[in-house]
Amino acid sequence: DRGSRLLDLHDFALESAQVALCAQLLQLASEGAGELVIVTGRGGHSREGGVTLHPLLTHFLQELKIPVRPDPKIAGRLRVSLPEDFYGE
């Protein structure tokens, strides 16, 4: 998508995914705005009964009060748009 940054995390462990996501969010915030598309995967390669990144990262972002929504067109992706007042400016 034009104007969107893509972060592919679908092969990452949760902790590594959280670190990479935070780094991208800081970068996005320093640039003033924009949208981040996060590829979490659909869980097709997860171990049986394993939880995929999609719900875990959704919860993580919600805990940080960052608006997150599933991509309406592509399963296994999340979309994040930082609000302009994210850092209280």
Side-chain angles (χ1 to χ4, degrees), residues 1-10 12 17 20-22 24-25 28 31 33-41 54 57-58 61 66-82:
D1 296 2
R2 289 185 181 183
S4 297
R5 180 170 293 163
L6 184 70
L7 178 62
D8 187 348
L9 299 174
H10 85 276
F12 282 57
L21 176 56
C22 286
Q24 281 296 310
L25 291 171
L28 196 64
E31 293 170 2
E35 184 175 58
L36 179 62
V37 178
I38 306 162
V39 179
T40 61
H54 196 91
L57 291 180
T58 298
L61 289 163
I66 296 173
V68 58
R69 64 192 187 285
D71 190 307
K73 296 179 183 176
I74 302 174
R77 288 188 178 194
L78 297 170
R79 290 186 170 269
V80 172
S81 295
L82 292 182

Side-chain angles (χ1 to χ4, degrees), residues 8 21 27 29 36 42 46-47 59 81 88:
D8 187 348
L21 176 56
Q27 181 70 33
L36 179 62
R42 294 174 290 191
S46 295
R47 294 182 192 145
H59 178 73
S81 295

